[in-house]
Amino acid sequence: MNQVDELERAILARAERLASEYRERAARSRDSLLRESAERLRLRETREEASAKALGERAFRQRVQSTELKMQTHLDRLRWNLVLDVERRLTERMERFMADQEVYDAWLQALIVEAATAMESSEICIAANAHDQRRLFMNWDAVVAALPADTEATLAPAPDAIDTLGGVLVTSADGRIRVDQTFEGRLQRLRARIQQTILERLLPNGLDASTPFSG
């Protein structure tokens, strides 16, 4: 019986050791799984936070860019409206200038002389609107006398009057050289400089300085 009891006790002791080892292994496995799960959860939360932050920053940048674009569009429209308003006033100013017939006649003559000098052509043809053609016809001797030496000028006939607010169109006799001294032609040539001058006078500091998104 003693041997049987000892064997039984040995078996029980062995079973207890094995059970203890399994419990320890199970505890270590459980702890390891918990740590791995916690780490995966942490990494997942970190990725989600980074993704949410990136999405938030992108949405913010898009809103800022949209606001900047709208404001820039508004500023461009404001600038352009200012330019157009001043250009309309230039037309009104031209009409008032033309009302002073003596001064305007002298200006027309100066335009013709300037064009003839620049063209260096011995024969030129001068065209204007119907009103100005009549004025040039009345002052033709003075116009011819003011031209460069050896320059022959012809005034276009009444049916060939051009559609312009004021000024003259000067061409060479063969039509190959053309100097547009009309109000519209001069305005077109000088438009970029005029617009720049208008903006500099009306907006000496520019409009961008008041833009909170200009950097």
Side-chain angles (χ1 to χ4, degrees):
M1 289 297 295
N2 291 334
Q3 292 180 347
V4 173
D5 292 340
E6 290 178 0
L7 180 58
E8 182 178 346
R9 286 194 295 273
I11 291 174
L12 290 173
R14 176 61 176 169
E16 288 179 358
R17 286 196 300 273
L18 289 173
S20 178
E21 290 177 1
Y22 283 127
R23 282 196 299 272
E24 291 176 358
R25 290 180 184 176
R28 288 194 297 272
S29 296
R30 182 197 63 187
D31 293 342
S32 177
L33 289 173
L34 289 175
R35 286 194 300 272
E36 290 177 0
S37 297
E39 180 64 15
R40 285 197 295 270
L41 180 61
R42 187 188 67 79
L43 292 175
R44 180 179 176 183
E45 290 176 347
T46 300
R47 287 195 298 269
E48 289 178 350
E49 288 177 0
S51 177
K53 183 179 180 181
L55 289 174
E57 290 178 349
R58 187 181 352 173
F60 176 74
R61 286 196 301 271
Q62 289 175 343
R63 291 184 62 183
V64 170
Q65 291 171 353
S66 176
T67 302
E68 288 179 333
L69 181 60
K70 290 178 181 178
M71 183 167 290
Q72 188 61 50
T73 300
H74 174 71
L75 295 178
D76 290 342
R77 188 180 301 114
L78 177 58
R79 291 188 183 96
W80 183 241
N81 288 337
L82 287 172
V83 169
L84 291 180
D85 183 60
V86 174
E87 286 188 354
R88 283 191 293 270
R89 296 188 182 188
L90 288 175
T91 300
E92 296 172 0
R93 176 67 181 85
M94 181 64 180
E95 291 172 344
R96 290 196 300 271
F97 172 66
M98 294 169 63
D100 188 340
Q101 198 65 68
E102 183 177 348
V103 175
Y104 181 62
D105 287 345
W107 184 70
L108 283 179
Q109 180 177 307
L111 290 182
I112 295 171
V113 172
E114 179 183 326
T117 302
M119 293 168 60
E120 297 182 351
S121 177
S122 59
E123 297 181 21
I124 62 174
C125 180
I126 303 166
N129 62 34
H131 174 270
D132 290 350
Q133 278 189 330
R134 288 193 294 271
R135 295 296 304 179
L136 288 171
F137 179 78
M138 294 171 57
N139 300 307
W140 190 244
D141 290 341
V143 172
V144 172
L147 291 173
D150 300 325
T151 300
E152 295 183 9
T154 303
L155 182 62
D160 293 336
I162 59 177
D163 183 16
T164 178
L165 175 62
V168 292
L169 177 64
V170 182
T171 58
S172 60
D174 56 14
R176 291 188 299 179
I177 305 175
R178 169 191 175 106
V179 178
D180 191 345
Q181 294 280 54
T182 63
F183 172 77
E184 294 80 6
R186 292 170 67 87
L187 181 62
Q188 183 63 35
R189 290 196 301 274
L190 298 172
R191 175 162 273 118
R193 191 188 308 174
I194 291 173
Q195 291 176 356
Q196 180 180 357
T197 301
I198 291 171
L199 292 177
E200 288 175 352
R201 298 290 176 83
L202 295 179
L203 310 168
N205 297 322
L207 284 174
D208 290 335
S210 60
T211 306
F213 304 102
S214 60

